[in-house]
Amino acid sequence: MPGIANLASKIGKQLPIELVELMESAGLIAVSQGRCLYLVGGVVRDLLLWRSNLDLDLVVEGDAIKLAQRLAEITGGGITTHLRFGTAKLKWDKWSVDLAMARAETYVRPGALPTVKHSSLATDLLRRDFTINAMAVELIPGHWGRLIDLYGGCDDLRRKLIRILYGRSFVDDATRMWRAIRYEQRLGFKLEANTRHRLERDVSCLDTISGDRIRHELELVLKEESPEKALRRAEELGVLAKLHPRLKGDDWLAERFSEARQFSIPGVPPVGLYLALFTYSLTSSEIEGLISYLRLSKRLARVLLDTAGLKTKLKLLAKPKLRSSHVYDLLHDYSVTALTANSLATTSTIARQHIQLFLVKLRYVKSALSGEDLKKIGIPVGPRMKEILQELHEARLDMRVTSRKEEMELVRGRVGKENNYNEMVR
Ligand code: CTP
C-alpha cells in the first residue's frame, strides 16, 4: 500500500452505490452541522486489502444520534439508538450502517463494559483493538476519501502484523485475544512480538469476561472460513484452555471440520456441527457446564447434548448386520447435526455406515397404510392400532413388505391370527 493517502477510488470501486450515496449524504449533513465525519474500523482495513466488507461504521465528532435521525428521514429507514454509548444503527431497504460519536473509553475494572465520553477522532482511534482497525477515512466534501492513519495501521497491513495500540488493551478487554487470533488466522497475519507477549501474559484476564461475550467471540470464530486454524492458535496461546482445559484445536479437529464443510450448504458455516465436534471429547457433565457458562441457545444446547447422548450408543451401532428397524430405533430421536457429528467422529466404520444409512434412507421410510386405512378395515383407534402401525413401519424398514398390497396382507394376516386366537380362548 505504498503512498496510499486517499481511498476515494477504492470506495467507488468496492462499495455498492447505495452505501456510497448514504455516506455522501451523511458527509453533507455533518458539514452543515459543523462536524467532521469518518468511516472507521474494519471496513477501512478491508478497503485497503481489497476484501469485501459492507459493515459500515461511521464516526462523527458530535451527536451521532441526531445525524442518524436526519439520515433516516432521507432514506425512509429506521434507527435504533443506544443512548449510553451515543450510538445508532440505521436500517433502510436491505442496508444498515452504524453511527457513533467519537469517544474515549474508560474501564472501571478489567472486562467491564466501558464508560464513554465524547472525544476527538484521535482518541477514539487510540482506544481501539489493533492498529489495522484504527484507521479512518474522511467523508466530508473537499476531504472525501482522505485516509487518516495515526498509529501505523497501513504499515502493519503491509507487514502483516496484528498489533495492539496500548499496553493494557487485553486487560481492558480480553475478548480482544479472541479477536486477535481471528484476524491473524483470517488474514494470514502474525501477532506482533510485544502483542503476543502481552496476550500470553494477560491470558488470565479472560476470566473477567462474561460467558455471553465469550460465546459471541466463539460464534464469530466458528463463522470464519477455516475456524480450525483459529482454534489451533487459541490452544497454542493458552486462550482455549481458559474456555475449558480439555478442549483441543488439534489435527483431529482440523480434519473433522474440513469434512463437516463437505456435509454443509456452501457458504453457510455449520456452526452447530462445528461446536458438536469441538466439544466431542468432553463428558456430558462437562458439556452441561459449558452450555450454562456460555448460555448457549436451546437449539445449540440440544445439539451438544444429543451428540453426547448418541455417543453412548456407538458401541451398539458398531455391531455388524443390525436390522434396519433396529438402526432406526437407535437413531430416530437424534437431530441431524448430532447424527452427522457422530458419524464424522466415530472410529467405527460400521457405526458410521449405520448412521449414514439412517440419514440417507431410513429416516424417510414411511408405510403406505395410514391410521385411516386401518380404521376402514375395522381396526379401532387405540393402542392396538398404534402397535400395528409400528409393525408396518418396521416391516417397511426391514423390507419385509415393499408395497401397499403387501402391507395390507400383513395386517390381514395379523388380524386373522388374532381372531383365531380369540376364538380359541373363548
Ligand atoms: N473494536 C475494538 N475492540 C473490540 C471490538 C471492536 O476496538 N473489542 C473496534 C475495532 O476498531 C473494530 C470496530 O470496533 O474494527 C468494529 O468492530 P467489529 O464490527 O467487531 O469489527 P470489524 O473490524 O468490523 O471486524 P470483522 O471484520 O470481524 O467484522
Side-chain angles (χ1 to χ4, degrees), residues 41-42 45 57 128-129 133 173 176 179 182-183 186:
R45 172 200 72 216
D57 281 313
R128 289 172 183 265
D129 51 3
N133 288 343
D173 179 358
R176 289 173 174 170
R179 293 173 65 83
R182 191 155 55 82
Y183 294 124
R186 181 201 294 171

Side-chain angles (χ1 to χ4, degrees), residues 31-324:
V31 129
S32 75
Q33 295 172 341
R35 307 290 185 194
C36 281
L37 179 75
Y38 309 92
L39 181 64
V40 295
V43 69
V44 179
R45 172 200 72 216
D46 287 339
L47 279 169
L48 287 162
L49 292 173
W50 288 95
R51 291 178 67 94
S52 155
N53 186 344
L54 302 181
D55 293 333
L56 298 195
D57 281 313
L58 303 186
V59 161
V60 59
E61 283 176 320
D63 190 341
I65 295 177
K66 225 161 127 192
L67 176 61
Q69 282 161 345
R70 284 292 318 279
L71 288 169
E73 284 162 23
I74 294 173
T75 55
I79 56 168
T80 43
T81 57
H82 213 311
L83 284 176
R84 185 179 157 198
F85 295 118
T87 58
K89 185 183 264 301
L90 167 70
K91 285 189 178 179
W92 79 105
D93 301 337
K94 58 173 184 166
W95 309 104
S96 88
V97 168
D98 288 304
L99 295 103
M101 66 170 183
R103 67 198 205 222
E105 293 184 339
T106 43
Y107 295 82
V108 278
R109 60 187 153 74
L113 287 176
T115 311
V116 306
K117 67 171 199 271
H118 178 78
S119 80
S120 65
L121 178 76
T123 313
D124 181 291
L125 295 177
L126 187 60
R127 60 140 182 118
R128 289 172 183 265
D129 51 3
F130 311 113
T131 56
I132 59 166
N133 288 343
M135 290 177 278
V137 173
E138 281 194 74
L139 295 180
I140 52 166
H143 291 200
W144 176 262
R146 205 172 76 171
L147 178 68
I148 299 177
D149 177 18
L150 305 175
Y151 307 110
C154 254
D155 264 354
D156 284 338
L157 278 184
R158 207 175 294 122
R159 290 191 282 179
K160 298 180 179 267
L161 290 176
I162 307 293
R163 183 196 305 269
I164 46 173
L165 284 140
Y166 61 98
R168 279 180 57 84
S169 185
F170 290 129
V171 177
D172 280 348
D173 179 358
T175 64
R176 289 173 174 170
M177 299 183 190
W178 278 106
R179 293 173 65 83
I181 292 169
R182 191 155 55 82
Y183 294 124
E184 191 195 46
Q185 298 308 310
R186 181 201 294 171
L187 302 173
F189 282 24
K190 270 272 158 279
L191 295 182
E192 170 274 332
N194 180 49
T195 301
R196 177 180 175 150
H197 166 71
R198 297 269 182 175
L199 188 155
E200 287 178 308
R201 191 196 65 182
D202 297 333
V203 78
S204 63
C205 290
L206 279 164
D207 296 337
T208 64
I209 305 293
S210 69
D212 275 326
R213 293 183 68 203
I214 298 290
R215 182 195 64 244
H216 178 66
E217 293 305 324
L218 188 59
E219 283 171 352
L220 291 177
V221 165
L222 295 178
K223 286 179 184 160
E224 291 287 322
E225 212 168 287
S226 309
E228 61 272 23
K229 290 188 193 164
L231 295 176
R232 188 189 291 276
R233 184 67 160 148
E235 182 182 346
E236 195 179 302
L237 294 167
V239 168
L240 206 51
K242 283 281 153 201
L243 183 55
H244 195 287
R246 293 210 313 110
L247 287 171
K248 292 265 168 294
D250 54 11
D251 289 345
W252 182 88
L253 192 73
E255 282 156 28
R256 300 294 84 73
F257 271 30
S258 143
E259 289 166 1
R261 283 190 282 279
Q262 290 161 26
F263 276 84
S264 316
I265 306 165
V268 181
V271 172
L273 183 53
Y274 281 152
L275 206 54
L277 292 165
F278 180 47
T279 56
Y280 198 77
S281 58
L282 303 189
T283 64
S284 291
S285 75
E286 288 169 333
I287 287 173
E288 275 167 24
L290 206 60
I291 288 170
S292 78
Y293 166 60
L294 294 176
R295 303 206 319 141
L296 289 184
S297 67
K298 277 207 178 109
R299 189 187 70 81
L300 283 180
R302 157 117 206 268
V303 165
L304 298 200
L305 293 172
D306 257 14
T307 304
L310 181 51
K311 211 162 95 177
T312 64
K313 306 256 173 92
L314 288 178
K315 244 195 183 150
L316 286 172
L317 283 161
K319 290 190 180 150
K321 296 193 192 125
L322 284 184
R323 271 184 295 117
S324 293

